[in-house]
Amino acid sequence: TLAVAPWLSLREIKKMREAAPDVVPALRRRAYRWTITEQWIVTVVLLAAWFLLGRTPAEIGLDLGYAGWQWLAVGVTVVVAGAFAVNVWQAASKTEDLEQVRGQLGDLELLAPHTRGDLQHFGWLSLTAGICEEMLYRGLLMTMLPGAVLACPFTSPLPPPLKTALTPTRGEPLADL
């Protein structure tokens, strides 16, 4: 997705620029739906491969191993996220502010939501991006990256401080390669 998504977005913007104005909203929503579908397919396929290889959810941060005061941090995060959502909803109702922001977006303005229907689709797109990108990039990529870096012939042998810096998040030291 990292390599393909920007290219697809540029292609969709080009289609919207060339389309009749009455067709642009349908193209915008199609772009939203396509991005949602692509993100979930990639995420499900990669997670399925991860689990089929015998890896655990905890290795990519998908565990609820919180204890004691850690639940307080989870609760505060949920409250702050809710407050942020309310703030965004209130800001989205100010039409004059939205027009000013849209004017600063350039070609990206074509992909920005213009109607309440667009905003609803864009909300689902944002939720999808939040979930899928966290699992793909923070979960899978950041879990696999240290091993990939250390497996590269140009990085071995690494000095001990760098090996410590590349220690996986679960706190186990990396084996010498």
Side-chain angles (χ1 to χ4, degrees):
T1 63
L2 193 57
V4 176
W7 177 78
L8 290 174
S9 294
L10 291 173
R11 191 183 73 180
E12 292 301 318
I13 288 172
K14 182 180 178 193
K15 285 181 189 176
M16 287 185 230
R17 257 193 263 128
E18 296 169 354
D22 61 325
V23 177
V24 172
L27 292 174
R28 181 180 307 111
R29 290 183 187 179
R30 186 182 80 182
Y32 293 165
R33 285 190 301 271
W34 171 250
T35 304
I36 290 168
T37 303
E38 179 259 339
Q39 285 275 308
W40 280 111
I41 288 172
V42 169
T43 301
V44 167
V45 166
L46 289 176
L47 285 176
W50 180 264
F51 296 129
L52 288 172
L53 290 171
R55 306 301 294 261
T56 66
E59 290 177 289
I60 54 173
L62 294 177
D63 63 339
L64 292 177
Y66 303 114
W69 287 98
Q70 292 173 328
W71 280 107
L72 178 62
V74 172
V76 168
T77 301
V78 169
V79 169
V80 169
F84 180 74
V86 168
N87 190 20
V88 167
W89 178 75
Q90 289 174 343
S93 65
K94 298 179 180 176
T95 309
E96 64 279 354
D97 292 344
L98 289 178
E99 292 303 321
Q100 180 185 1
V101 171
R102 268 197 208 106
Q104 298 171 356
L105 291 176
D107 281 346
L108 289 177
E109 185 269 336
L110 292 167
L111 288 173
H114 288 73
T115 65
R116 289 225 179 264
D118 287 350
L119 195 57
Q120 183 179 19
H121 281 80
F122 194 78
W124 287 112
L125 175 64
S126 299
L127 181 65
T128 295
I131 294 169
C132 293
E133 290 173 9
E134 281 296 314
M135 285 192 279
L136 291 173
Y137 302 120
R138 189 177 300 252
L140 292 171
L141 183 65
M142 298 314 264
T143 300
M144 295 183 310
L145 189 59
V149 169
L150 292 176
C152 178
F154 302 110
T155 61
S156 192
L158 292 173
L162 188 53
K163 283 189 177 185
T164 301
L166 293 173
T167 299
T169 56
R170 57 186 179 274
E172 300 169 7
L174 294 171
D176 289 326
L177 294 177

